[in-house]
Amino acid sequence: MSHYSIAVIPGDGIGQEITPPAVAVLERLAEVIGTFSAEYTMLPWGSDYYKQHGVMMPDDGLETLKRYDAIYFGAVGSREVPDHVSLRGLRLKICQGFDQYANVRPAYLLPGIPSPLRDKQAGDIDLVVVRENTEGEYTGAGGRPHRGHPAEVAVQTAVFTRSGTERVIRYAFELARSRPRHHLVSVTKSNAQEFSLGMWDEIFEEVGADFPDVTTERMLVDAMAARLVRSPESLDVLVASNLFGDILTDIGGAIIGSLGVAPSGNINPEHDYPSMFEPIHGSALDIVGQNIANPLGMLLCGAMMLDYLGQPEAAQRLTDAVQAVTGAGHTLTPDVGGNATTTAVCDAVKAALG
Ligand code: NAI
Ligand code: MG
């Protein structure tokens, strides 16, 4: 039997509400399936930690995390800490520090969850966005000289390297090859950003030559925003830069009914470092403290994590349990039209595991 050590970072806001019951579901899953065991270590990093220590995580935080097989992450962001401090001090530090260059974000319409789009049935929307996750617009290169003076300049440089672009595009091609439709769309804005995304386009063509079995398209990001709403069923795998992937996946969350049901994995494909699994949503401060946050995105992250760790049967069992609960339709949180609590949904999924 395989054993895993998982670092758990609930973080802030609803991260603290969805993470503990989701871990309890994973513990129950291990009991019923019997193919693996796991130990979960809670790390109290986030905005409360920042208020006490002036940093979102300890200086040796990455050293600590390196000892784990994977990281299960809730969300960060609070009213007391500026968003760029909380995001960069924790999530981006881990993604960049652990070279988790492929942020894999599936958007799958679950049974029983209404899409805001007309006539969409379960499975009609089944796409994955691969978002470049270590460079691009979120590299953190730039500065603000002459602060506060009329001459103040703000420079935030998007950084694209050939190697960084090539590896994430290759990852997306491999993913497209592994899915039934073998279709990949590269999303850029190379008409306006001819240097960085012009290079991206060229690399997309070069890498594509190695994947003759994958059909491809190139599309500008604004047109893709419209297509995600008008005909998401025409999409299989998308690959995009850090910023574009971030924005498009909130549309992805919206069209599958809620940001709260969309999982993601920050993947280091070479397994040089642990990968990190987190729902795509943030700390949802507008609903915090009410026990109504949707935990399904967090649970589906658990399934992605188990798949990544080499437990595909366990992953499938959990996904099936989630679908059984949404399909039954009576234990759903308010964001997807129900009136159940976070805890009740996790209990229902636990029961559905058998
Ligand atoms: P958000 O994703 O937290 O919330 C957007 C909307 O979706 C809100 O109305 C919220 O109630 C709803 N929502 C999100 N997750 C939900 C869930 N599980 N169940 C039910 N409803 C849900 O984005 P927002 O409001 O822009 O940001 C709030 C904070 O989160 C900010 O501090 C931001 O910086 C941070 N953030 C952190 C992220 C991360 O940790 N990866 C990602 C995005 C935002
Ligand atoms: Mg986002």
Side-chain angles (χ1 to χ4, degrees):
M1 181 155 64
S2 306
H3 180 77
Y4 305 109
S5 301
I6 312 292
V8 182
I9 306 176
D12 300 331
I14 63 162
Q16 304 228 7
E17 298 173 25
I18 57 176
T19 309
V23 168
V25 173
L26 295 181
E27 284 175 330
R28 174 86 188 123
L29 174 65
E31 280 168 27
V32 299
I33 200 148
T35 56
F36 76 98
S37 62
E39 188 184 340
Y40 299 89
T41 307
M42 293 279 175
L43 300 168
W45 303 344
S47 295
D48 286 342
Y49 190 90
Y50 182 88
K51 278 180 262 167
Q52 284 173 26
H53 304 276
V55 284
M56 293 293 291
M57 63 192 262
D59 289 341
D60 63 354
L62 291 181
E63 285 306 310
T64 302
L65 288 176
K66 240 184 222 166
R67 296 197 285 271
Y68 293 90
D69 297 303
I71 305 160
Y72 197 42
F73 187 96
V76 282
S78 71
R79 292 203 178 82
E80 296 86 25
V81 181
D83 281 346
H84 68 275
V85 172
S86 54
L87 199 66
R88 198 163 286 288
L90 196 56
R91 181 184 179 274
L92 290 178
K93 203 165 173 178
I94 298 169
C95 292
Q96 295 179 357
F98 284 170
D99 213 17
Q100 294 164 346
Y101 61 84
N103 184 199
V104 178
R105 297 185 148 195
Y108 180 84
L109 182 58
L110 293 162
I113 303 271
S115 169
L117 304 181
R118 208 179 335 123
D119 302 332
K120 295 285 180 274
Q121 306 303 319
D124 284 353
I125 303 172
D126 180 8
L127 59 93
V128 186
V129 176
V130 178
R131 164 190 177 194
E132 200 293 318
N133 209 32
T134 53
E135 50 180 50
E137 306 85 349
Y138 293 8
T139 309
R144 278 177 64 182
H146 311 299
R147 240 173 228 252
H149 292 275
E152 179 170 353
V153 193
V155 180
Q156 185 98 35
T157 306
V159 176
F160 289 81
T161 64
R162 176 168 278 276
S163 57
T165 306
E166 207 225 287
R167 66 184 184 172
V168 76
I169 287 176
R170 191 167 289 281
Y171 184 91
F173 268 105
E174 296 284 0
L175 181 65
R177 176 175 270 176
S178 76
R179 290 168 55 92
R181 287 197 278 167
H182 291 228
H183 184 64
L184 176 64
V185 188
S186 167
V187 187
T188 69
K189 189 71 188 171
S190 50
N191 56 344
Q193 301 189 311
E194 67 270 46
F195 306 122
S196 53
L197 298 176
M199 180 178 77
W200 177 293
D201 279 351
E202 280 173 33
I203 294 172
F204 185 71
E205 294 304 321
E206 287 163 26
V207 175
D210 295 341
F211 296 85
D213 51 325
V214 176
T215 55
T216 60
E217 287 177 65
R218 289 188 343 210
M219 208 161 176
L220 300 177
V221 64
D222 35 4
M224 180 54 82
R227 180 168 170 187
L228 274 165
V229 174
R230 292 197 60 90
S231 59
E233 60 283 347
S234 70
L235 294 164
D236 181 18
V237 183
L238 285 66
V239 62
S241 67
N242 215 329
L243 174 66
F244 295 166
D246 191 0
I247 297 170
L248 292 177
T249 48
D250 266 34
I251 305 179
I255 60 177
I256 59 165
S258 170
L259 279 187
V261 300
S264 91
N266 301 286
I267 309 292
N268 172 255
E270 290 74 26
H271 290 248
D272 292 332
Y273 303 96
S275 293
M276 176 163 75
F277 299 83
E278 52 158 0
I280 72 162
H281 63 73
S283 51
L285 301 171
D286 54 334
I287 58 164
V288 83
Q290 301 175 51
N291 195 24
I292 56 164
N294 196 327
L296 295 179
M298 191 73 193
L299 289 172
L300 293 171
C301 285
M304 285 182 84
M305 178 167 77
L306 288 165
D307 207 25
Y308 172 83
L309 289 171
Q311 296 292 329
E313 279 169 39
Q316 193 59 51
R317 184 82 154 256
L318 178 52
T319 306
D320 290 347
V322 165
Q323 297 204 10
V325 169
T326 60
H330 31 72
T331 316
L332 299 174
T333 45
D335 56 308
V336 286
N339 54 18
T341 60
T342 308
T343 330
V345 173
C346 288
D347 287 345
V349 174
K350 247 193 245 175
L353 288 170

